[in-house]
Amino acid sequence: MPPKKRNTVVSQSKEPKPIAESVSQDKKESTELSFKKHRDKETEFVTLCKSLHVTDLVCDHAWTLWKTIQDSVEELEDSQKSLWGSCLFATVTDMDTASFTLTQLLKAVSLNVKQFLALVRKMDVNLDTISTKVNSALSHLEKKYDVMLALYQRFEKTCKSVFASVSENKEKETIRTCWTMFLLAKGRALQMEDDLVISFQLLLCTLEFCIKRCPPDLLQPLYKSAISKVQSPPGRTARRSQSKAKSRLPESEVDLQLLKTLCQENDCNSEEVKNVYQTSFSAFLDSLDLSGSAHLPQGKGLDQQYQEHYLKSRDFDGRLFLDGDETVLVPKVDMSQVERTPKKMSDEDSTLIPPQTPIRAAMTSIQQLRGDLTSSGDQPSTNLATYFKNCTVDPTQDVVKRLETFGETFSQRFGQAVGPHCVALGRQRFNLGVKLYYKIMEAMLKSEEKRLSVQNFSKLLNDSTFHTSLLACALEVVMATYGESSFKTGGYNQGGGDATERNMCFPWILDVVELTAFDFYKVIESFIKADPTLSKDIVKHLETCENLIMERIAWRTGSPLFDLLRQEHEGETAEQVETTANFSQPLQHNHTAADLYLSPVRPGLRVLPPETAASPNTQASSQPPTQPVSQPARPLKSNSLSLFYKKLYRLAYTRLKMLCSYLLSSHPELEPIIWTLFQHTLQHEHELMRDRHLDQLMMCAMYAICKVKTVDLRFKTIVTAYKNMPNTSQDTFKHVLTTDGNYDSIIVFYNLVFMQKLKTNILQYASTRPPTLSPIPQIPRSPYKFPNSPLRVPVSSNVYISPMKSPRMSPGMMTPRSRMLVSIGEPFGLINRFQKINQMVNSGDRSFKRSLDLGSTPKPLKRLRFDMDGQDEGDGRFGMIVDMIFAISKRMDLFFIYSLHLNS
């Protein structure tokens, strides 16, 4: 529901009055601060509180917080007033009693958004200085600001190509109306206002609405001609006859020609934007009674309604971007993060690669995903249908029924999370996921058929968990591509709540399809290997999902992981889930998703290698692994559990090694001892992981060993270093399960739980006969690193080749356009193009470059530089490279893409 309208109308050029001023005069007087009540505080602090209309209680709590951190923040260069503002923000966030907006606070303490966010984080000098609730608020504000900044920069750029500077005042008024209308639409249509893609699509809808209602002389020729003549806005009479109760804008009122032009200029899919227009944006227009309007809405009316939304949200005022207000300006040091523009190849090279802005990156990822699925349908392919029919029990009907059920559930849950009118967008995402699901399933089955020489996969294809996991992984890829699932906060939901209550970050999808994280983990590696077209960002995303599962999600109460561990430890020999003899061996396995979902599936016996005893105070990684010898036959154990622990140990040691490098570089002998205690805990005391995080046990193990070895290392120092590690969250050490469902800091957990459980074991490391050290796991290269990066041709520093991912990636579709890209092995035009390239390179004649672009006009070119020992292209070296690569590609039947670094 939109906020109720207030009677106050705010001028566009003035900063709005504090929220407290909108209440009645009597209430205002009763809550107004009195200097007399706060004589124990500095006058300037009370003055700041009074200007922001906070209550006496907030003033007291903020002052108490300030006194707590005062001594610890003396070294900070920030002004005292800025720190007071940070204390007020933290206090009102915890108490949920804000009487001011973020913008009002920023203006009061003279900071911009980025500076303020950094300052509040710097205040967290102790474990409990800043609560997880404040951390969550900071993360939300930062993401929302980053999204808003990216949107405004694209809006500003688009407006320059849309509007003609006929009348500067008229143009500014139109731009202001358009931007304010977009801010209001985003605020009302989206519950997740930090969703970059849908927000950008709403921006294009708003531009379409405003452009076709602008005077023609205000538009650039491209957009003037793009407006459909037959789709002019309806007249006054037609508008009066329209029903006010309609909830869907007729498709005929959307200027498809104009919308397509906007989408083409912004690399956006027009069908998706049209979908957003006809659902979310049309509902917004209806709420303002603008659906049939032939004119732009009044700026004052929009401004007043956005003012209400802004005051309710209590964060920054998006209108200030239009004025270049210093509170929303981008600090110069952050510009490189907003637009990651590659440097020029040389000082003489005037050609720059287009900046990789957040919006450009998102649109490119979406285009790639949709392009990869162009040939995939939302029904099983002929080959996949054959696999289904070859099964003893045909799974087709179950597959179809399962997809229908999940499709409805996913769409509804998507709408609940994103916005009430976004159910159709959820269905659109789900349909893309289904295409990817079928594509990966077929690739997996082909691989299994080749590996096992069988065609009947009845047991696997009738396994509901396998299908659900595969579909969930496909949907997670789609969600990550559209930016609706990300790990900006290390995968942790700040505040200690359930992720499904706040956003759609992983593991949201698991809750939607009611799948356990341990079952989902089984499909990740096979999924990645089955689709070589996945981008590096998506592969990294899935790898992060896998790490999150191993770190904490698989250890939640109710996880099947605990059942498997109980079965393992209840065996006659209480066998280890992963023998220490395997630690120093590379992580090599032949397990596929089929093995993991059906494991153990085959009756039989296996022989286990014995445990290797490493000599005291030595690292077993320096010793060759002991050769396996015959042991009594034992029942086959779960492949999924064994592989899980192999990866868990390697992840655990990698993180420990990084933390040790930060803190114990002067005590390298402690690392293997800490690892031994850490590994012992994971193996023999795995119940300590229940509803906890892997890193919590790691930090406790480090503190315990340093304590018994009399090395001065405090928990505060450990967590300070831990915060600097990648993919971490402050919740890990601030919100730890202690006893009886209570949560506290990691220090309390150590004293009440960890130390009590492992006291005897820990004290052994102080004796003259310490426990045998565990071998150090071999840290292999990630199994998800594929050779997709361009490789440099040795004879030149500017020539690269890389495997071709998809035949759809023709040279014309690739970027940057300032370089010549040729695909060897696919039809790309006339066969004499290679001869022209060689002739151009060898002769130094640049006139051929533009002629290679079929149909384009030749233009004079600058020098082609190789930047290699003063050599230029005239020595014929590159001509030989072209011939060499072409010959190799024909000979080996490989596809290569290579780029010539040409100045335009």
Side-chain angles (χ1 to χ4, degrees), residues 196 231 374 435 455 469 534 635 688 711 741 827 842:
L196 177 64
Q231 290 186 345
T374 300
K435 290 183 177 182
Q455 294 180 330
S469 302
L534 292 176
L688 285 176
V711 174
N842 291 327

Side-chain angles (χ1 to χ4, degrees), residues 688-724:
L688 285 176
M689 279 294 297
R690 186 182 292 272
D691 296 323
R692 296 190 179 96
H693 194 290
L694 180 70
D695 293 348
Q696 292 165 355
L697 271 60
M698 173 184 70
M699 288 186 277
C700 287
M702 174 175 284
Y703 181 80
I705 295 302
C706 288
K707 197 77 172 175
V708 299
K709 292 295 184 181
T710 64
V711 174
D712 185 18
L713 183 64
R714 301 180 182 183
F715 249 124
K716 179 180 176 180
T717 307
I718 294 175
V719 299
T720 300
Y722 176 77
K723 287 191 292 186
N724 294 324

Side-chain angles (χ1 to χ4, degrees), residues 538-580:
I538 293 300
V539 171
K540 184 178 179 180
H541 177 91
L542 292 178
E543 189 173 6
T544 305
C545 290
E546 185 180 65
N547 289 344
L548 285 171
I549 290 171
M550 291 187 290
E551 289 171 4
R552 66 179 181 95
I553 305 176
W555 299 98
R556 290 177 176 174
T557 296
S559 170
L561 175 59
F562 288 104
D563 293 332
L564 287 173
L565 285 169
R566 178 178 51 79
Q567 293 169 15
E568 291 285 338
H569 287 273
E570 285 179 354
E572 294 180 2
T573 56
E575 176 192 333
Q576 292 188 67
V577 290
E578 170 64 1
T579 62
T580 54

Side-chain angles (χ1 to χ4, degrees), residues 817-830:
R817 296 176 182 176
S818 59
R819 297 181 180 180
M820 179 182 294
L821 298 167
V822 180
S823 170
I824 303 176
E826 78 162 337
F828 64 93
L830 300 177

